[in-house]
């Protein structure tokens, strides 16, 4: 029938388009030379750092961890910095970050190693405090990383596009 013939032609056209898209994607993937990572929640689990900061901030108040965390998540779902907005909401002061609570994800080093073995150059672009490169060294990651751009050292933070440009 006419309908099945046009449907068949549409399928062939769709397959042709998909074939072209896949070839383009393959070319793009084959031309990737660098892979850039963030640090927090990517290579490093910062969960306990945030929990520690919350416990410090609510110490001596009647605000429970659960109540604070609920408000933090509420703001985060609005694409805001949940912890900062929750601190403002409750009238609390931001407390120091506990670097000692940072933990590399179990598979992070293996992934970096595998990517380097495949010829990729690895870089970091992260909103991090001073000493980022030293912390990466302490976790054994710097042997895989060729470039570290940290907001504290650069004086500009993501999402400002300036952090992504060469000096």
């Amino acid at each position: 029938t006419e309908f099945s013939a046009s449907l068949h032609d549409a399928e062939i056209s769709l397959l042709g388009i998909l074939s072209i898209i896949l070839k383009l994607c393959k070319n793009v993937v084959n031309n990737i030379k660098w892979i850039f990572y963030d640090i927090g929640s990517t290579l490093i689990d910062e969960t306990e750092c945030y929990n520690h900061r919350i416990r410090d901030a609510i110490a001596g108040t009647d605000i429970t961890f659960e109540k604070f965390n609920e408000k933090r998540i509420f703001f985060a779902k609005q694409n805001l910095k949940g912890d900062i907005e929750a601190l403002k909401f409750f009238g609390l002061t931001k407390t120091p970050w506990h670097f000692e609570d940072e933990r590399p994800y179990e598979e992070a080093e293996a992934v970096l190693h595998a990517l380097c073995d495949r010829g990729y150059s690895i870089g970091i672009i992260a909103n991090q405090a001073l000493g980022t490169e030293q912390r990466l060294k302490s976790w054994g990651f710097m042997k895989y990383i060729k470039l570290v751009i940290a907001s504290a050292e650069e004086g500009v933070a993501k999402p400002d596009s300036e952090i992504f440009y060469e000096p």
Side-chain angles (χ1 to χ4, degrees):
T1 67
E2 266 183 56
F3 177 73
S4 63
S6 63
L7 183 59
H8 179 71
D9 291 344
E11 288 174 357
I12 291 171
S13 297
L14 183 58
L15 288 174
I17 291 168
L18 286 174
S19 176
I20 291 167
I21 291 170
L22 288 173
K23 286 177 185 175
L24 289 171
C25 289
K26 185 176 180 184
N27 287 337
V28 169
V29 169
N30 287 339
N31 289 318
I32 293 173
K33 307 258 186 275
W34 281 82
I35 297 176
F36 285 88
Y37 278 92
D38 195 346
I39 293 179
S41 301
T42 308
L43 297 173
I44 303 301
D45 183 352
E46 296 177 329
T47 303
E48 186 51 35
C49 301
Y50 282 105
N51 291 345
H52 196 156
R53 180 178 262 179
I54 292 168
R55 288 191 302 271
D56 287 351
I58 64 174
T61 73
D62 63 347
I63 303 163
T64 65
F65 183 92
E66 291 74 21
K67 190 174 178 181
F68 185 95
N69 203 39
E70 180 181 300
K71 195 54 76 173
R72 181 187 65 80
I73 292 168
F74 169 79
F75 287 119
K77 285 181 178 179
Q78 296 177 46
N79 207 24
L80 299 169
K81 292 188 176 218
D83 57 329
I84 302 302
E85 295 302 318
L87 287 168
K88 287 181 199 175
F89 177 85
F90 289 111
L92 300 171
T93 304
K94 185 176 174 181
T95 58
W97 187 255
H98 291 273
F99 293 101
E100 71 275 12
D101 294 333
E102 294 177 329
R103 298 287 179 264
Y105 285 109
E106 187 176 311
E107 59 282 325
E109 185 171 4
V111 169
L112 294 174
H113 183 90
L115 291 169
C116 286
D117 279 355
R118 287 174 176 77
Y120 295 105
S121 294
I122 305 295
I124 299 291
I125 301 176
N127 291 342
Q128 291 285 315
L130 293 171
T132 299
E133 193 167 326
Q134 185 55 44
R135 290 193 332 276
L136 290 165
K137 281 181 190 173
S138 75
W139 297 315
F141 292 167
M142 281 308 297
K143 60 187 164 212
Y144 308 110
I145 298 169
K146 293 185 177 182
L147 177 68
V148 176
I149 299 172
S151 57
E153 280 95 4
E154 299 299 319
V156 63
K158 297 182 298 179
D160 188 327
S161 61
E162 189 66 28
I163 199 166
F164 299 100
Y165 295 116
E166 292 184 50

